[in-house]
Amino acid sequence: MFDLTGKVALITGATGGIGAEIAKKMKQAGATVVVSGRNTAKMDAEFGDEYIKIPADLAVDGAAVELIMDTIEQAGKIDILINNAGITRDTLLMRMTDEQFDEVINTNLRSCFKMCRAAIMPMMKQRFGRIINMASIVGVVGGAGQTNYAASKGGIIAMTKSIA
């Protein structure tokens, strides 16, 4: 494992299984870990006082900037951003509503974009930063009943390549 002593890692979607495990591994590697998610009760139950907990719904306008600013205020900086927030609203295309499509795109893709944009300047100012965007194989190969999810994850893959 990496030695992350002295680094601050922010994990979005930390109340899900993958996000929680990432947060725990980062903590084991010595990082100061900031966890974020929509489910405050689950965050409190999952993570003890050794984690900085900042609830956020990243589908809400302004939440990404606020989360980055709160992270810097509470942890002193941000070195590592892991964009893991995501949802599914699976259904066949013919039954998918505009709201189901928009909700997944806003939570998965748009929030990832907004988090990257909000984190990039503080990282550039400190001349260090790492951004990890979580995608899915579904973003490459598609999945039955997952038009919205596949579009969001495919968008994350293309966006990450463009940012890099």
Side-chain angles (χ1 to χ4, degrees), residues 43-60:
M43 227 178 355
D44 288 339
E46 185 79 30
F47 302 106
D49 292 337
E50 66 273 12
Y51 293 85
I52 299 171
K53 296 171 270 194
I54 305 174
D57 182 350
L58 296 175
V60 174

Side-chain angles (χ1 to χ4, degrees), residues 11-143:
I11 297 95
T12 68
T15 55
I18 293 171
E21 286 304 313
I22 292 169
K24 290 172 185 174
K25 293 294 182 189
M26 292 286 195
K27 177 56 87 180
Q28 288 173 2
T32 298
V33 178
V34 179
V35 292
S36 186
R38 292 187 291 190
N39 189 334
T40 306
K42 195 170 182 182
M43 227 178 355
D44 288 339
E46 185 79 30
F47 302 106
D49 292 337
E50 66 273 12
Y51 293 85
I52 299 171
K53 296 171 270 194
I54 305 174
D57 182 350
L58 296 175
V60 174
D61 283 339
V65 170
E66 189 174 326
L67 178 55
I68 295 296
M69 289 173 42
D70 288 348
T71 296
I72 293 168
E73 182 180 308
Q74 293 184 43
K77 61 180 180 169
I78 180 168
D79 297 303
I80 303 163
L81 168 61
I82 300 179
N83 283 311
N84 181 64
I87 61 169
T88 59
R89 298 292 181 262
D90 295 350
T91 190
L92 296 175
L93 177 63
M94 65 186 137
R95 294 186 183 125
M96 186 174 292
T97 65
D98 290 352
E99 291 77 21
Q100 288 170 316
F101 186 86
D102 290 345
E103 186 179 9
V104 171
I105 293 297
N106 287 339
T107 300
N108 298 7
L109 178 58
R110 184 164 293 158
S111 73
C112 182
F113 159 72
K114 289 181 178 184
M115 289 298 295
C116 289
R117 184 176 62 186
I120 201 76
M121 285 306 292
M123 289 179 173
M124 287 175 70
K125 284 181 183 176
Q126 68 190 19
R127 296 179 182 247
F128 182 87
R130 301 292 184 264
I131 299 174
I132 300 167
N133 296 327
M134 302 297 284
S136 169
I137 189 66
V138 173
V140 176
V141 300

Side-chain angles (χ1 to χ4, degrees), residues 1-17:
M1 188 59 152
F2 300 99
D3 180 10
L4 299 176
T5 304
K7 302 294 183 201
V8 173
L10 166 60
I11 297 95
T12 68
T15 55

